[in-house]
Amino acid sequence: MISINAALPASSTRIAIIGAGAVGSTIAYATMLNGLAHEIVLSDVVARKAEAEAKDLMHGSMFVRSVNIAAGSLSDCKGSAIVVITAGAKQKVGQTRLELAAANTNLFRELIPGILDAAPEALILVVSNPVDVLTYVAAKLSARPQRVLGSGTVLDTSRFRSLLARRLNVAVSNVHAYIVGEHGDSEVPLWSSAQVANVPLRSFSSPSCLPLTERDRREIFHDVRDAAAQVIAAKGATNWAVGLAVVRILEAILRDEQSILTVSSLLSGYHGIENVCISVPSLVGRTGVGATLPLPYTEEELAALKRSAELLRGVLTQLGF
Ligand code: NAD
């Protein structure tokens, strides 16, 4: 077992990851490559799994910026700036994320008090699915919703931008477009505000590509929405892109960037949406989620976002929240 560094200086950054499965260990790997943390603590109910992942990662430490990777228990979250939760059941082939809600809510009832005991000052970043439901559950169980956020549709937004970039034959960094709503089947693509290098997407064309047709849009959105199901059917899990998406959020927090990311957070009064965690473009920095941005939605987009919120509220009500 690799030990937790009890003597870590106060200015050092510890990140704890609960759940050392496909997603948790990929987040640890991406965090290590990025050089964001001085210490990464992996914890799993199957202790030898966390220990083996920590060892395997530690064996590569010669090639990255100095970092200690340790396996530990929930109490070893102590002193963490951020606790990332990836523990729990994952989708099986043909299952929706929402079908995991009851099992993973029960798991969170056990996990959250232990995390709060060990690391009362930490931000909690929820990745386990259904991420919006569990972000709400964590926010309520912790009684400090402002310290809890979910990875939400940061991943879906990246999927959206990469597919658009490939279709338009431009660099993904020139594409600005968001997916909002549930990280799941009711998510909403914001076509009306999408831009490529300051040109509205609807009128963008270049010598190497024609403007998008209605059919292109439909196919791109279906590929975004169904991406996880397609990857899970072929390899059993999604891990690489979510690993990068989560590290992007960690980076925005730890560097106090005030970056605009579509994380999931508790909304109250956002275009009339109340008492649900869902993704909308939000400022992310050292204290977690700051202001949410009131984008110029079309009536249709706003209606779809509200339907997505109502769907999630319905699931939460069934779960007793
Ligand atoms: P996995 O089965 O590989 O790993 C889950 C891990 O959680 C396992 O190692 C398991 O032992 C551990 N675990 C279970 N109960 C625990 C507990 N009480 N304490 C600590 N660890 C515990 O699954 P995965 O592919 O890593 O996916 C993990 C979660 O992330 C799933 O809910 C999945 O749907 C979700 N996910 C979310 C996104 C996103 O964008 N939000 C993307 C991909 C996957």
PDB file of all heavy atoms in Angstrom, residues 18-24 43-46 49 86-91 97 100 104 107 110-111 126-129 131 151-152 155-156 183 236-239 242, ligand 1:
ATOM      1  N   ILE A  18     -13.117   9.065  -5.155  1.00  0.00           N
ATOM      2  CA  ILE A  18     -13.825   7.937  -4.534  1.00  0.00           C
ATOM      3  C   ILE A  18     -14.393   7.080  -5.657  1.00  0.00           C
ATOM      4  O   ILE A  18     -15.225   7.546  -6.435  1.00  0.00           O
ATOM      5  CB  ILE A  18     -14.996   8.419  -3.634  1.00  0.00           C
ATOM      6  CG1 ILE A  18     -14.555   9.582  -2.742  1.00  0.00           C
ATOM      7  CG2 ILE A  18     -15.562   7.261  -2.811  1.00  0.00           C
ATOM      8  CD1 ILE A  18     -13.461   9.268  -1.789  1.00  0.00           C
ATOM      9  N   GLY A  19     -13.925   5.842  -5.728  1.00  0.00           N
ATOM     10  CA  GLY A  19     -14.308   4.949  -6.830  1.00  0.00           C
ATOM     11  C   GLY A  19     -13.125   4.854  -7.780  1.00  0.00           C
ATOM     12  O   GLY A  19     -12.821   5.810  -8.502  1.00  0.00           O
ATOM     13  N   ALA A  20     -12.433   3.703  -7.717  1.00  0.00           N
ATOM     14  CA  ALA A  20     -11.216   3.546  -8.547  1.00  0.00           C
ATOM     15  C   ALA A  20     -11.496   2.616  -9.719  1.00  0.00           C
ATOM     16  O   ALA A  20     -10.677   1.765 -10.063  1.00  0.00           O
ATOM     17  CB  ALA A  20     -10.069   3.018  -7.678  1.00  0.00           C
ATOM     18  N   GLY A  21     -12.669   2.782 -10.315  1.00  0.00           N
ATOM     19  CA  GLY A  21     -13.011   1.984 -11.497  1.00  0.00           C
ATOM     20  C   GLY A  21     -12.461   2.634 -12.758  1.00  0.00           C
ATOM     21  O   GLY A  21     -11.467   3.383 -12.713  1.00  0.00           O
ATOM     22  N   ALA A  22     -13.116   2.356 -13.885  1.00  0.00           N
ATOM     23  CA  ALA A  22     -12.639   2.864 -15.174  1.00  0.00           C
ATOM     24  C   ALA A  22     -12.555   4.399 -15.160  1.00  0.00           C
ATOM     25  O   ALA A  22     -11.540   4.981 -15.569  1.00  0.00           O
ATOM     26  CB  ALA A  22     -13.577   2.403 -16.285  1.00  0.00           C
ATOM     27  N   VAL A  23     -13.594   5.039 -14.653  1.00  0.00           N
ATOM     28  CA  VAL A  23     -13.630   6.509 -14.690  1.00  0.00           C
ATOM     29  C   VAL A  23     -12.702   7.112 -13.636  1.00  0.00           C
ATOM     30  O   VAL A  23     -11.898   8.005 -13.935  1.00  0.00           O
ATOM     31  CB  VAL A  23     -15.090   7.018 -14.506  1.00  0.00           C
ATOM     32  CG1 VAL A  23     -15.139   8.529 -14.383  1.00  0.00           C
ATOM     33  CG2 VAL A  23     -15.955   6.546 -15.674  1.00  0.00           C
ATOM     34  N   GLY A  24     -12.751   6.597 -12.409  1.00  0.00           N
ATOM     35  CA  GLY A  24     -11.928   7.148 -11.332  1.00  0.00           C
ATOM     36  C   GLY A  24     -10.443   7.044 -11.647  1.00  0.00           C
ATOM     37  O   GLY A  24      -9.686   8.003 -11.464  1.00  0.00           O
ATOM     38  N   SER A  43      -9.737   5.939  -3.540  1.00  0.00           N
ATOM     39  CA  SER A  43     -10.405   5.122  -2.531  1.00  0.00           C
ATOM     40  C   SER A  43     -11.486   4.292  -3.214  1.00  0.00           C
ATOM     41  O   SER A  43     -12.177   4.783  -4.114  1.00  0.00           O
ATOM     42  CB  SER A  43     -11.026   6.069  -1.495  1.00  0.00           C
ATOM     43  OG  SER A  43     -11.817   5.354  -0.607  1.00  0.00           O
ATOM     44  N   ASP A  44     -11.604   3.048  -2.805  1.00  0.00           N
ATOM     45  CA  ASP A  44     -12.629   2.185  -3.402  1.00  0.00           C
ATOM     46  C   ASP A  44     -13.075   1.194  -2.335  1.00  0.00           C
ATOM     47  O   ASP A  44     -12.290   0.795  -1.471  1.00  0.00           O
ATOM     48  CB  ASP A  44     -12.053   1.425  -4.611  1.00  0.00           C
ATOM     49  CG  ASP A  44     -13.141   0.896  -5.531  1.00  0.00           C
ATOM     50  OD1 ASP A  44     -13.839  -0.085  -5.143  1.00  0.00           O
ATOM     51  OD2 ASP A  44     -13.323   1.446  -6.635  1.00  0.00           O
ATOM     52  N   VAL A  45     -14.341   0.782  -2.428  1.00  0.00           N
ATOM     53  CA  VAL A  45     -14.846  -0.220  -1.489  1.00  0.00           C
ATOM     54  C   VAL A  45     -14.042  -1.519  -1.652  1.00  0.00           C
ATOM     55  O   VAL A  45     -13.863  -2.268  -0.685  1.00  0.00           O
ATOM     56  CB  VAL A  45     -16.379  -0.403  -1.686  1.00  0.00           C
ATOM     57  CG1 VAL A  45     -16.705  -1.106  -2.980  1.00  0.00           C
ATOM     58  CG2 VAL A  45     -17.015  -1.104  -0.520  1.00  0.00           C
ATOM     59  N   VAL A  46     -13.545  -1.747  -2.846  1.00  0.00           N
ATOM     60  CA  VAL A  46     -12.623  -2.871  -3.060  1.00  0.00           C
ATOM     61  C   VAL A  46     -11.203  -2.303  -2.897  1.00  0.00           C
ATOM     62  O   VAL A  46     -10.607  -1.784  -3.842  1.00  0.00           O
ATOM     63  CB  VAL A  46     -12.810  -3.484  -4.468  1.00  0.00           C
ATOM     64  CG1 VAL A  46     -11.922  -4.718  -4.649  1.00  0.00           C
ATOM     65  CG2 VAL A  46     -14.268  -3.826  -4.717  1.00  0.00           C
ATOM     66  N   LYS A  49      -8.286  -2.983  -5.237  1.00  0.00           N
ATOM     67  CA  LYS A  49      -8.400  -2.349  -6.562  1.00  0.00           C
ATOM     68  C   LYS A  49      -7.783  -0.943  -6.510  1.00  0.00           C
ATOM     69  O   LYS A  49      -6.966  -0.574  -7.367  1.00  0.00           O
ATOM     70  CB  LYS A  49      -9.891  -2.304  -6.941  1.00  0.00           C
ATOM     71  CG  LYS A  49     -10.257  -1.410  -8.073  1.00  0.00           C
ATOM     72  CD  LYS A  49     -10.434  -2.187  -9.353  1.00  0.00           C
ATOM     73  CE  LYS A  49     -10.939  -1.311 -10.479  1.00  0.00           C
ATOM     74  NZ  LYS A  49      -9.953  -1.089 -11.510  1.00  0.00           N
ATOM     75  N   THR A  86     -16.802   9.044  -8.148  1.00  0.00           N
ATOM     76  CA  THR A  86     -17.087   8.227  -9.340  1.00  0.00           C
ATOM     77  C   THR A  86     -17.569   6.835  -8.920  1.00  0.00           C
ATOM     78  O   THR A  86     -17.638   5.939  -9.737  1.00  0.00           O
ATOM     79  CB  THR A  86     -15.831   8.062 -10.229  1.00  0.00           C
ATOM     80  OG1 THR A  86     -14.913   7.189  -9.559  1.00  0.00           O
ATOM     81  CG2 THR A  86     -15.147   9.373 -10.523  1.00  0.00           C
ATOM     82  N   ALA A  87     -17.844   6.678  -7.631  1.00  0.00           N
ATOM     83  CA  ALA A  87     -18.237   5.352  -7.125  1.00  0.00           C
ATOM     84  C   ALA A  87     -19.660   5.032  -7.560  1.00  0.00           C
ATOM     85  O   ALA A  87     -20.483   5.924  -7.723  1.00  0.00           O
ATOM     86  CB  ALA A  87     -18.156   5.347  -5.600  1.00  0.00           C
ATOM     87  N   GLY A  88     -19.913   3.748  -7.728  1.00  0.00           N
ATOM     88  CA  GLY A  88     -21.290   3.325  -7.929  1.00  0.00           C
ATOM     89  C   GLY A  88     -21.519   2.498  -9.163  1.00  0.00           C
ATOM     90  O   GLY A  88     -20.579   2.207  -9.913  1.00  0.00           O
ATOM     91  N   ALA A  89     -22.789   2.145  -9.328  1.00  0.00           N
ATOM     92  CA  ALA A  89     -23.173   1.332 -10.484  1.00  0.00           C
ATOM     93  C   ALA A  89     -23.033   2.159 -11.745  1.00  0.00           C
ATOM     94  O   ALA A  89     -23.185   3.380 -11.721  1.00  0.00           O
ATOM     95  CB  ALA A  89     -24.615   0.889 -10.324  1.00  0.00           C
ATOM     96  N   LYS A  90     -22.708   1.475 -12.848  1.00  0.00           N
ATOM     97  CA  LYS A  90     -22.657   2.182 -14.136  1.00  0.00           C
ATOM     98  C   LYS A  90     -23.683   1.555 -15.079  1.00  0.00           C
ATOM     99  O   LYS A  90     -24.170   0.450 -14.825  1.00  0.00           O
ATOM    100  CB  LYS A  90     -21.251   2.106 -14.709  1.00  0.00           C
ATOM    101  CG  LYS A  90     -20.803   0.713 -15.102  1.00  0.00           C
ATOM    102  CD  LYS A  90     -19.437   0.782 -15.732  1.00  0.00           C
ATOM    103  CE  LYS A  90     -18.865  -0.606 -15.915  1.00  0.00           C
ATOM    104  NZ  LYS A  90     -17.477  -0.596 -16.306  1.00  0.00           N
ATOM    105  N   GLN A  91     -23.938   2.280 -16.198  1.00  0.00           N
ATOM    106  CA  GLN A  91     -24.928   1.783 -17.166  1.00  0.00           C
ATOM    107  C   GLN A  91     -24.468   0.461 -17.753  1.00  0.00           C
ATOM    108  O   GLN A  91     -23.300   0.321 -18.111  1.00  0.00           O
ATOM    109  CB  GLN A  91     -25.000   2.742 -18.360  1.00  0.00           C
ATOM    110  CG  GLN A  91     -25.766   3.983 -18.168  1.00  0.00           C
ATOM    111  CD  GLN A  91     -25.425   4.943 -19.325  1.00  0.00           C
ATOM    112  OE1 GLN A  91     -24.465   5.690 -19.268  1.00  0.00           O
ATOM    113  NE2 GLN A  91     -26.226   4.897 -20.371  1.00  0.00           N
ATOM    114  N   ARG A  97     -29.152   6.217 -17.899  1.00  0.00           N
ATOM    115  CA  ARG A  97     -28.474   6.667 -16.674  1.00  0.00           C
ATOM    116  C   ARG A  97     -29.467   6.761 -15.525  1.00  0.00           C
ATOM    117  O   ARG A  97     -29.137   6.460 -14.378  1.00  0.00           O
ATOM    118  CB  ARG A  97     -27.823   8.025 -16.925  1.00  0.00           C
ATOM    119  CG  ARG A  97     -26.707   7.981 -17.957  1.00  0.00           C
ATOM    120  CD  ARG A  97     -26.167   9.378 -18.225  1.00  0.00           C
ATOM    121  NE  ARG A  97     -25.093   9.392 -19.204  1.00  0.00           N
ATOM    122  CZ  ARG A  97     -25.275   9.597 -20.508  1.00  0.00           C
ATOM    123  NH1 ARG A  97     -26.491   9.796 -20.993  1.00  0.00           N
ATOM    124  NH2 ARG A  97     -24.239   9.612 -21.330  1.00  0.00           N
ATOM    125  N   LEU A 100     -30.102   4.119 -12.885  1.00  0.00           N
ATOM    126  CA  LEU A 100     -29.133   3.889 -11.803  1.00  0.00           C
ATOM    127  C   LEU A 100     -29.487   4.708 -10.562  1.00  0.00           C
ATOM    128  O   LEU A 100     -28.819   4.594  -9.525  1.00  0.00           O
ATOM    129  CB  LEU A 100     -27.722   4.310 -12.255  1.00  0.00           C
ATOM    130  CG  LEU A 100     -27.187   3.710 -13.555  1.00  0.00           C
ATOM    131  CD1 LEU A 100     -25.897   4.412 -13.955  1.00  0.00           C
ATOM    132  CD2 LEU A 100     -26.943   2.219 -13.365  1.00  0.00           C
ATOM    133  N   ASN A 104     -27.674   4.229  -6.778  1.00  0.00           N
ATOM    134  CA  ASN A 104     -26.577   5.155  -6.486  1.00  0.00           C
ATOM    135  C   ASN A 104     -26.958   6.214  -5.445  1.00  0.00           C
ATOM    136  O   ASN A 104     -26.095   6.720  -4.733  1.00  0.00           O
ATOM    137  CB  ASN A 104     -26.029   5.770  -7.779  1.00  0.00           C
ATOM    138  CG  ASN A 104     -25.148   4.765  -8.533  1.00  0.00           C
ATOM    139  OD1 ASN A 104     -24.793   3.715  -7.992  1.00  0.00           O
ATOM    140  ND2 ASN A 104     -24.805   5.074  -9.770  1.00  0.00           N
ATOM    141  N   LEU A 107     -26.183   4.569  -2.224  1.00  0.00           N
ATOM    142  CA  LEU A 107     -24.732   4.607  -2.013  1.00  0.00           C
ATOM    143  C   LEU A 107     -24.303   5.994  -1.498  1.00  0.00           C
ATOM    144  O   LEU A 107     -23.494   6.109  -0.575  1.00  0.00           O
ATOM    145  CB  LEU A 107     -24.042   4.299  -3.346  1.00  0.00           C
ATOM    146  CG  LEU A 107     -22.537   4.393  -3.378  1.00  0.00           C
ATOM    147  CD1 LEU A 107     -21.936   3.273  -2.557  1.00  0.00           C
ATOM    148  CD2 LEU A 107     -22.021   4.300  -4.793  1.00  0.00           C
ATOM    149  N   GLU A 110     -24.651   6.701   2.114  1.00  0.00           N
ATOM    150  CA  GLU A 110     -23.534   6.196   2.946  1.00  0.00           C
ATOM    151  C   GLU A 110     -22.291   7.063   2.783  1.00  0.00           C
ATOM    152  O   GLU A 110     -21.592   7.345   3.749  1.00  0.00           O
ATOM    153  CB  GLU A 110     -23.129   4.777   2.494  1.00  0.00           C
ATOM    154  CG  GLU A 110     -24.083   3.682   2.841  1.00  0.00           C
ATOM    155  CD  GLU A 110     -23.704   2.391   2.101  1.00  0.00           C
ATOM    156  OE1 GLU A 110     -22.514   2.215   1.765  1.00  0.00           O
ATOM    157  OE2 GLU A 110     -24.606   1.592   1.839  1.00  0.00           O
ATOM    158  N   LEU A 111     -22.015   7.448   1.537  1.00  0.00           N
ATOM    159  CA  LEU A 111     -20.732   8.109   1.250  1.00  0.00           C
ATOM    160  C   LEU A 111     -20.635   9.551   1.753  1.00  0.00           C
ATOM    161  O   LEU A 111     -19.604   9.951   2.307  1.00  0.00           O
ATOM    162  CB  LEU A 111     -20.498   8.154  -0.259  1.00  0.00           C
ATOM    163  CG  LEU A 111     -19.923   6.930  -0.946  1.00  0.00           C
ATOM    164  CD1 LEU A 111     -19.792   7.197  -2.444  1.00  0.00           C
ATOM    165  CD2 LEU A 111     -18.556   6.586  -0.357  1.00  0.00           C
ATOM    166  N   VAL A 126     -19.322  15.662  -8.326  1.00  0.00           N
ATOM    167  CA  VAL A 126     -20.014  14.393  -8.581  1.00  0.00           C
ATOM    168  C   VAL A 126     -19.885  14.022 -10.059  1.00  0.00           C
ATOM    169  O   VAL A 126     -20.135  14.865 -10.939  1.00  0.00           O
ATOM    170  CB  VAL A 126     -21.516  14.516  -8.209  1.00  0.00           C
ATOM    171  CG1 VAL A 126     -22.257  13.219  -8.521  1.00  0.00           C
ATOM    172  CG2 VAL A 126     -21.671  14.890  -6.741  1.00  0.00           C
ATOM    173  N   VAL A 127     -19.486  12.775 -10.297  1.00  0.00           N
ATOM    174  CA  VAL A 127     -19.370  12.266 -11.672  1.00  0.00           C
ATOM    175  C   VAL A 127     -20.272  11.049 -11.866  1.00  0.00           C
ATOM    176  O   VAL A 127     -20.784  10.794 -12.959  1.00  0.00           O
ATOM    177  CB  VAL A 127     -17.891  11.898 -11.992  1.00  0.00           C
ATOM    178  CG1 VAL A 127     -17.739  11.408 -13.424  1.00  0.00           C
ATOM    179  CG2 VAL A 127     -16.978  13.098 -11.755  1.00  0.00           C
ATOM    180  N   SER A 128     -20.513  10.283 -10.780  1.00  0.00           N
ATOM    181  CA  SER A 128     -21.357   9.082 -10.869  1.00  0.00           C
ATOM    182  C   SER A 128     -22.718   9.451 -11.463  1.00  0.00           C
ATOM    183  O   SER A 128     -23.217  10.556 -11.239  1.00  0.00           O
ATOM    184  CB  SER A 128     -21.592   8.483  -9.481  1.00  0.00           C
ATOM    185  OG  SER A 128     -20.389   8.341  -8.786  1.00  0.00           O
ATOM    186  N   ASN A 129     -23.305   8.510 -12.160  1.00  0.00           N
ATOM    187  CA  ASN A 129     -24.594   8.746 -12.813  1.00  0.00           C
ATOM    188  C   ASN A 129     -25.770   8.178 -12.025  1.00  0.00           C
ATOM    189  O   ASN A 129     -25.597   7.216 -11.290  1.00  0.00           O
ATOM    190  CB  ASN A 129     -24.578   8.089 -14.200  1.00  0.00           C
ATOM    191  CG  ASN A 129     -23.962   9.002 -15.235  1.00  0.00           C
ATOM    192  OD1 ASN A 129     -24.188  10.204 -15.232  1.00  0.00           O
ATOM    193  ND2 ASN A 129     -23.164   8.416 -16.134  1.00  0.00           N
ATOM    194  N   VAL A 131     -25.820  11.860 -13.045  1.00  0.00           N
ATOM    195  CA  VAL A 131     -25.003  12.869 -12.375  1.00  0.00           C
ATOM    196  C   VAL A 131     -25.837  14.033 -11.831  1.00  0.00           C
ATOM    197  O   VAL A 131     -25.549  14.542 -10.736  1.00  0.00           O
ATOM    198  CB  VAL A 131     -23.851  13.339 -13.293  1.00  0.00           C
ATOM    199  CG1 VAL A 131     -24.332  14.133 -14.475  1.00  0.00           C
ATOM    200  CG2 VAL A 131     -22.828  14.130 -12.510  1.00  0.00           C
ATOM    201  N   SER A 151     -20.352  17.030 -12.886  1.00  0.00           N
ATOM    202  CA  SER A 151     -19.646  17.219 -14.167  1.00  0.00           C
ATOM    203  C   SER A 151     -20.634  17.524 -15.296  1.00  0.00           C
ATOM    204  O   SER A 151     -20.245  18.069 -16.332  1.00  0.00           O
ATOM    205  CB  SER A 151     -18.800  15.994 -14.506  1.00  0.00           C
ATOM    206  OG  SER A 151     -19.610  14.851 -14.597  1.00  0.00           O
ATOM    207  N   GLY A 152     -21.913  17.208 -15.079  1.00  0.00           N
ATOM    208  CA  GLY A 152     -22.986  17.664 -15.959  1.00  0.00           C
ATOM    209  C   GLY A 152     -22.752  17.393 -17.437  1.00  0.00           C
ATOM    210  O   GLY A 152     -22.362  16.289 -17.828  1.00  0.00           O
ATOM    211  N   LEU A 155     -18.887  17.053 -20.596  1.00  0.00           N
ATOM    212  CA  LEU A 155     -18.491  15.998 -21.535  1.00  0.00           C
ATOM    213  C   LEU A 155     -19.322  16.059 -22.825  1.00  0.00           C
ATOM    214  O   LEU A 155     -18.781  15.980 -23.931  1.00  0.00           O
ATOM    215  CB  LEU A 155     -18.661  14.630 -20.845  1.00  0.00           C
ATOM    216  CG  LEU A 155     -18.531  13.387 -21.705  1.00  0.00           C
ATOM    217  CD1 LEU A 155     -17.182  13.316 -22.388  1.00  0.00           C
ATOM    218  CD2 LEU A 155     -18.756  12.134 -20.853  1.00  0.00           C
ATOM    219  N   ASP A 156     -20.642  16.231 -22.674  1.00  0.00           N
ATOM    220  CA  ASP A 156     -21.521  16.275 -23.857  1.00  0.00           C
ATOM    221  C   ASP A 156     -21.181  17.478 -24.735  1.00  0.00           C
ATOM    222  O   ASP A 156     -21.221  17.402 -25.965  1.00  0.00           O
ATOM    223  CB  ASP A 156     -22.988  16.359 -23.418  1.00  0.00           C
ATOM    224  CG  ASP A 156     -23.287  15.398 -22.281  1.00  0.00           C
ATOM    225  OD1 ASP A 156     -22.712  15.590 -21.180  1.00  0.00           O
ATOM    226  OD2 ASP A 156     -24.052  14.467 -22.470  1.00  0.00           O
ATOM    227  N   HIS A 183     -27.517  15.527 -18.138  1.00  0.00           N
ATOM    228  CA  HIS A 183     -26.496  14.691 -18.781  1.00  0.00           C
ATOM    229  C   HIS A 183     -27.210  13.355 -19.025  1.00  0.00           C
ATOM    230  O   HIS A 183     -27.172  12.452 -18.202  1.00  0.00           O
ATOM    231  CB  HIS A 183     -25.285  14.525 -17.862  1.00  0.00           C
ATOM    232  CG  HIS A 183     -24.321  13.458 -18.317  1.00  0.00           C
ATOM    233  ND1 HIS A 183     -23.654  13.510 -19.518  1.00  0.00           N
ATOM    234  CD2 HIS A 183     -23.915  12.296 -17.732  1.00  0.00           C
ATOM    235  CE1 HIS A 183     -22.881  12.438 -19.647  1.00  0.00           C
ATOM    236  NE2 HIS A 183     -23.028  11.682 -18.580  1.00  0.00           N
ATOM    237  N   GLY A 236     -17.719  -1.481 -22.968  1.00  0.00           N
ATOM    238  CA  GLY A 236     -18.147  -1.696 -21.582  1.00  0.00           C
ATOM    239  C   GLY A 236     -18.150  -0.467 -20.693  1.00  0.00           C
ATOM    240  O   GLY A 236     -18.761  -0.481 -19.624  1.00  0.00           O
ATOM    241  N   ALA A 237     -17.486   0.597 -21.096  1.00  0.00           N
ATOM    242  CA  ALA A 237     -17.451   1.818 -20.270  1.00  0.00           C
ATOM    243  C   ALA A 237     -16.972   2.975 -21.131  1.00  0.00           C
ATOM    244  O   ALA A 237     -16.336   2.755 -22.167  1.00  0.00           O
ATOM    245  CB  ALA A 237     -16.481   1.644 -19.094  1.00  0.00           C
ATOM    246  N   THR A 238     -17.279   4.194 -20.697  1.00  0.00           N
ATOM    247  CA  THR A 238     -16.614   5.358 -21.291  1.00  0.00           C
ATOM    248  C   THR A 238     -15.638   5.862 -20.234  1.00  0.00           C
ATOM    249  O   THR A 238     -15.970   5.876 -19.052  1.00  0.00           O
ATOM    250  CB  THR A 238     -17.608   6.489 -21.621  1.00  0.00           C
ATOM    251  OG1 THR A 238     -18.265   6.887 -20.416  1.00  0.00           O
ATOM    252  CG2 THR A 238     -18.644   6.051 -22.642  1.00  0.00           C
ATOM    253  N   ASN A 239     -14.442   6.213 -20.613  1.00  0.00           N
ATOM    254  CA  ASN A 239     -13.513   6.702 -19.595  1.00  0.00           C
ATOM    255  C   ASN A 239     -12.592   7.828 -20.063  1.00  0.00           C
ATOM    256  O   ASN A 239     -12.339   8.763 -19.318  1.00  0.00           O
ATOM    257  CB  ASN A 239     -12.673   5.558 -19.013  1.00  0.00           C
ATOM    258  CG  ASN A 239     -11.846   4.826 -20.048  1.00  0.00           C
ATOM    259  OD1 ASN A 239     -12.341   4.469 -21.118  1.00  0.00           O
ATOM    260  ND2 ASN A 239     -10.584   4.584 -19.751  1.00  0.00           N
ATOM    261  N   VAL A 242     -14.382  11.457 -20.483  1.00  0.00           N
ATOM    262  CA  VAL A 242     -14.881  11.950 -19.189  1.00  0.00           C
ATOM    263  C   VAL A 242     -13.697  12.293 -18.281  1.00  0.00           C
ATOM    264  O   VAL A 242     -13.744  13.264 -17.515  1.00  0.00           O
ATOM    265  CB  VAL A 242     -15.878  10.982 -18.525  1.00  0.00           C
ATOM    266  CG1 VAL A 242     -15.274   9.650 -18.171  1.00  0.00           C
ATOM    267  CG2 VAL A 242     -16.477  11.614 -17.272  1.00  0.00           C
TER     268      VAL A 242
HETATM  269  P1  NAD B   1     -16.736   0.997 -12.540  1.00  0.00           P
HETATM  270  O1  NAD B   1     -17.680  -0.107 -12.211  1.00  0.00           O
HETATM  271  O2  NAD B   1     -15.549   0.681 -13.376  1.00  0.00           O
HETATM  272  O3  NAD B   1     -16.223   1.681 -11.188  1.00  0.00           O
HETATM  273  C1  NAD B   1     -17.062   2.000 -10.126  1.00  0.00           C
HETATM  274  C2  NAD B   1     -16.227   1.772  -8.875  1.00  0.00           C
HETATM  275  O4  NAD B   1     -16.971   2.223  -7.738  1.00  0.00           O
HETATM  276  C3  NAD B   1     -15.893   0.281  -8.647  1.00  0.00           C
HETATM  277  O5  NAD B   1     -14.482   0.111  -8.574  1.00  0.00           O
HETATM  278  C4  NAD B   1     -16.567  -0.020  -7.315  1.00  0.00           C
HETATM  279  O6  NAD B   1     -15.857  -0.960  -6.518  1.00  0.00           O
HETATM  280  C5  NAD B   1     -16.582   1.366  -6.675  1.00  0.00           C
HETATM  281  N1  NAD B   1     -17.511   1.505  -5.563  1.00  0.00           N
HETATM  282  C6  NAD B   1     -18.754   1.006  -5.411  1.00  0.00           C
HETATM  283  N2  NAD B   1     -19.240   1.334  -4.200  1.00  0.00           N
HETATM  284  C7  NAD B   1     -18.288   2.087  -3.584  1.00  0.00           C
HETATM  285  C8  NAD B   1     -18.202   2.730  -2.314  1.00  0.00           C
HETATM  286  N3  NAD B   1     -19.197   2.656  -1.412  1.00  0.00           N
HETATM  287  N4  NAD B   1     -17.069   3.394  -2.017  1.00  0.00           N
HETATM  288  C9  NAD B   1     -16.042   3.456  -2.893  1.00  0.00           C
HETATM  289  N5  NAD B   1     -16.078   2.857  -4.102  1.00  0.00           N
HETATM  290  C10 NAD B   1     -17.181   2.184  -4.433  1.00  0.00           C
HETATM  291  O7  NAD B   1     -17.610   2.139 -13.222  1.00  0.00           O
HETATM  292  P2  NAD B   1     -17.056   3.369 -14.079  1.00  0.00           P
HETATM  293  O8  NAD B   1     -17.105   3.022 -15.507  1.00  0.00           O
HETATM  294  O9  NAD B   1     -15.814   3.860 -13.441  1.00  0.00           O
HETATM  295  O10 NAD B   1     -18.232   4.430 -13.831  1.00  0.00           O
HETATM  296  C11 NAD B   1     -18.397   5.013 -12.548  1.00  0.00           C
HETATM  297  C12 NAD B   1     -19.589   5.944 -12.532  1.00  0.00           C
HETATM  298  O11 NAD B   1     -19.331   7.071 -13.378  1.00  0.00           O
HETATM  299  C13 NAD B   1     -20.883   5.302 -13.080  1.00  0.00           C
HETATM  300  O12 NAD B   1     -21.991   5.749 -12.328  1.00  0.00           O
HETATM  301  C14 NAD B   1     -20.947   5.835 -14.494  1.00  0.00           C
HETATM  302  O13 NAD B   1     -22.258   5.807 -15.031  1.00  0.00           O
HETATM  303  C15 NAD B   1     -20.424   7.243 -14.267  1.00  0.00           C
HETATM  304  N6  NAD B   1     -19.973   7.961 -15.466  1.00  0.00           N
HETATM  305  C16 NAD B   1     -20.250   9.279 -15.497  1.00  0.00           C
HETATM  306  C17 NAD B   1     -19.878  10.039 -16.591  1.00  0.00           C
HETATM  307  C18 NAD B   1     -20.212  11.496 -16.614  1.00  0.00           C
HETATM  308  O14 NAD B   1     -19.969  12.186 -17.629  1.00  0.00           O
HETATM  309  N7  NAD B   1     -20.761  12.042 -15.546  1.00  0.00           N
HETATM  310  C19 NAD B   1     -19.200   9.431 -17.660  1.00  0.00           C
HETATM  311  C20 NAD B   1     -18.900   8.077 -17.578  1.00  0.00           C
HETATM  312  C21 NAD B   1     -19.301   7.345 -16.458  1.00  0.00           C
END
